[in-house]
Short mmCIF file of all heavy atoms in Angstrom, two decimals:
data_model
loop_
_atom_site.label_atom_id
_atom_site.label_comp_id
_atom_site.label_asym_id
_atom_site.label_seq_id
_atom_site.Cartn_x
_atom_site.Cartn_y
_atom_site.Cartn_z
N LEU A 2 95.06 82.99 103.71
CA LEU A 2 94.77 84.12 102.83
C LEU A 2 93.26 84.27 102.61
O LEU A 2 92.74 85.39 102.63
CB LEU A 2 95.49 83.96 101.49
CG LEU A 2 95.29 85.09 100.48
CD1 LEU A 2 95.69 86.43 101.06
CD2 LEU A 2 96.06 84.80 99.19
N ALA A 3 92.56 83.16 102.42
CA ALA A 3 91.11 83.24 102.21
C ALA A 3 90.41 83.84 103.42
O ALA A 3 89.45 84.60 103.29
CB ALA A 3 90.55 81.85 101.90
N ARG A 4 90.89 83.53 104.60
CA ARG A 4 90.28 84.06 105.82
C ARG A 4 90.65 85.52 106.06
O ARG A 4 89.89 86.27 106.67
CB ARG A 4 90.70 83.22 107.03
CG ARG A 4 90.18 81.78 107.03
CD ARG A 4 90.70 81.00 108.22
NE ARG A 4 90.15 81.53 109.45
CZ ARG A 4 89.02 81.11 110.03
NH1 ARG A 4 88.32 80.13 109.47
NH2 ARG A 4 88.58 81.64 111.15
N SER A 5 91.81 85.94 105.57
CA SER A 5 92.31 87.29 105.87
C SER A 5 91.97 88.32 104.80
O SER A 5 92.04 89.52 105.06
CB SER A 5 93.84 87.25 106.02
OG SER A 5 94.24 86.34 107.02
N LEU A 6 91.62 87.87 103.61
CA LEU A 6 91.49 88.76 102.46
C LEU A 6 90.42 89.82 102.71
O LEU A 6 89.28 89.51 103.04
CB LEU A 6 91.13 87.94 101.23
CG LEU A 6 91.38 88.57 99.86
CD1 LEU A 6 92.87 88.77 99.62
CD2 LEU A 6 90.77 87.69 98.77
N PRO A 7 90.75 91.11 102.53
CA PRO A 7 89.73 92.15 102.70
C PRO A 7 88.78 92.20 101.52
O PRO A 7 89.12 91.80 100.40
CB PRO A 7 90.55 93.44 102.80
CG PRO A 7 91.82 93.14 102.06
CD PRO A 7 92.08 91.68 102.27
N ALA A 8 87.58 92.69 101.76
CA ALA A 8 86.59 92.82 100.70
C ALA A 8 87.10 93.75 99.61
O ALA A 8 87.71 94.79 99.89
CB ALA A 8 85.27 93.34 101.26
N GLY A 9 86.85 93.38 98.37
CA GLY A 9 87.26 94.21 97.25
C GLY A 9 88.70 94.05 96.82
O GLY A 9 89.17 94.79 95.95
N ALA A 10 89.42 93.10 97.39
CA ALA A 10 90.82 92.91 97.04
C ALA A 10 90.95 92.40 95.61
O ALA A 10 90.01 91.84 95.03
CB ALA A 10 91.49 91.93 98.00
N ILE A 11 92.13 92.59 95.05
CA ILE A 11 92.50 92.04 93.75
C ILE A 11 93.67 91.10 93.99
O ILE A 11 94.66 91.49 94.62
CB ILE A 11 92.91 93.14 92.76
CG1 ILE A 11 91.78 94.15 92.56
CG2 ILE A 11 93.34 92.54 91.41
CD1 ILE A 11 92.22 95.43 91.88
N VAL A 12 93.57 89.86 93.52
CA VAL A 12 94.62 88.87 93.74
C VAL A 12 95.21 88.47 92.40
O VAL A 12 94.52 87.88 91.56
CB VAL A 12 94.09 87.63 94.49
CG1 VAL A 12 95.25 86.68 94.81
CG2 VAL A 12 93.37 88.03 95.77
N SER A 13 96.47 88.80 92.18
CA SER A 13 97.20 88.38 90.99
C SER A 13 97.93 87.09 91.32
O SER A 13 98.80 87.06 92.19
CB SER A 13 98.20 89.47 90.56
OG SER A 13 98.99 89.03 89.48
N VAL A 14 97.55 86.02 90.61
CA VAL A 14 98.06 84.68 90.93
C VAL A 14 99.01 84.23 89.84
O VAL A 14 98.67 84.26 88.65
CB VAL A 14 96.90 83.67 91.06
CG1 VAL A 14 97.45 82.27 91.29
CG2 VAL A 14 95.98 84.06 92.21
N GLU A 15 100.19 83.81 90.22
CA GLU A 15 101.11 83.16 89.28
C GLU A 15 101.83 82.04 90.01
O GLU A 15 102.48 82.27 91.03
CB GLU A 15 102.12 84.13 88.69
CG GLU A 15 103.04 83.43 87.69
CD GLU A 15 103.91 84.38 86.90
OE1 GLU A 15 104.38 85.37 87.47
OE2 GLU A 15 104.12 84.12 85.72
N GLY A 16 101.70 80.83 89.48
CA GLY A 16 102.34 79.68 90.09
C GLY A 16 101.31 78.74 90.66
O GLY A 16 100.34 79.15 91.30
N GLY A 17 101.52 77.46 90.42
CA GLY A 17 100.56 76.47 90.88
C GLY A 17 100.70 76.07 92.33
O GLY A 17 99.78 75.50 92.91
N THR A 18 101.85 76.35 92.95
CA THR A 18 102.09 75.86 94.30
C THR A 18 100.99 76.29 95.26
O THR A 18 100.40 75.48 95.97
CB THR A 18 103.46 76.36 94.81
OG1 THR A 18 104.48 75.88 93.94
CG2 THR A 18 103.72 75.84 96.23
N CYS A 19 100.69 77.58 95.28
CA CYS A 19 99.63 78.08 96.14
C CYS A 19 98.43 78.60 95.35
O CYS A 19 97.35 78.81 95.93
CB CYS A 19 100.16 79.20 97.04
SG CYS A 19 101.36 78.65 98.27
N GLY A 20 98.60 78.82 94.05
CA GLY A 20 97.53 79.39 93.25
C GLY A 20 96.30 78.51 93.17
O GLY A 20 95.17 78.96 93.38
N TYR A 21 96.49 77.22 92.88
CA TYR A 21 95.35 76.31 92.78
C TYR A 21 94.65 76.12 94.13
O TYR A 21 93.42 76.20 94.21
CB TYR A 21 95.78 74.98 92.19
CG TYR A 21 96.12 75.04 90.73
CD1 TYR A 21 97.44 74.98 90.30
CD2 TYR A 21 95.12 75.17 89.77
CE1 TYR A 21 97.76 75.05 88.95
CE2 TYR A 21 95.43 75.24 88.42
CZ TYR A 21 96.75 75.17 88.01
OH TYR A 21 97.07 75.25 86.69
N PRO A 22 95.39 75.86 95.20
CA PRO A 22 94.70 75.73 96.49
C PRO A 22 93.95 76.99 96.89
O PRO A 22 92.86 76.92 97.45
CB PRO A 22 95.84 75.42 97.48
CG PRO A 22 96.92 74.84 96.64
CD PRO A 22 96.83 75.52 95.32
N PHE A 23 94.52 78.18 96.59
CA PHE A 23 93.83 79.40 96.97
C PHE A 23 92.54 79.56 96.20
O PHE A 23 91.51 79.95 96.76
CB PHE A 23 94.72 80.63 96.76
CG PHE A 23 93.95 81.91 96.91
CD1 PHE A 23 93.53 82.33 98.16
CD2 PHE A 23 93.60 82.67 95.80
CE1 PHE A 23 92.78 83.50 98.31
CE2 PHE A 23 92.86 83.83 95.94
CZ PHE A 23 92.44 84.24 97.20
N TYR A 24 92.55 79.29 94.89
CA TYR A 24 91.33 79.49 94.11
C TYR A 24 90.20 78.63 94.67
O TYR A 24 89.05 79.07 94.77
CB TYR A 24 91.58 79.16 92.65
CG TYR A 24 90.55 79.75 91.71
CD1 TYR A 24 90.72 81.03 91.19
CD2 TYR A 24 89.41 79.03 91.34
CE1 TYR A 24 89.78 81.59 90.33
CE2 TYR A 24 88.47 79.58 90.49
CZ TYR A 24 88.65 80.86 89.99
OH TYR A 24 87.71 81.40 89.15
N ALA A 25 90.52 77.39 95.04
CA ALA A 25 89.50 76.52 95.61
C ALA A 25 89.01 77.04 96.96
O ALA A 25 87.82 77.02 97.26
CB ALA A 25 90.05 75.10 95.75
#
């Protein structure tokens, strides 16, 4: 997701399974 995310995207995160790894 970090590599694919387009500029200006909005990411609504709920859940620790993937939320914490993605933020890092």
Side-chain angles (χ1 to χ4, degrees):
L2 181 56
R4 294 177 67 91
S5 303
L6 199 66
I11 302 165
V12 185
S13 175
V14 176
E15 181 171 37
T18 300
C19 293
Y21 289 106
F23 170 72
Y24 199 88

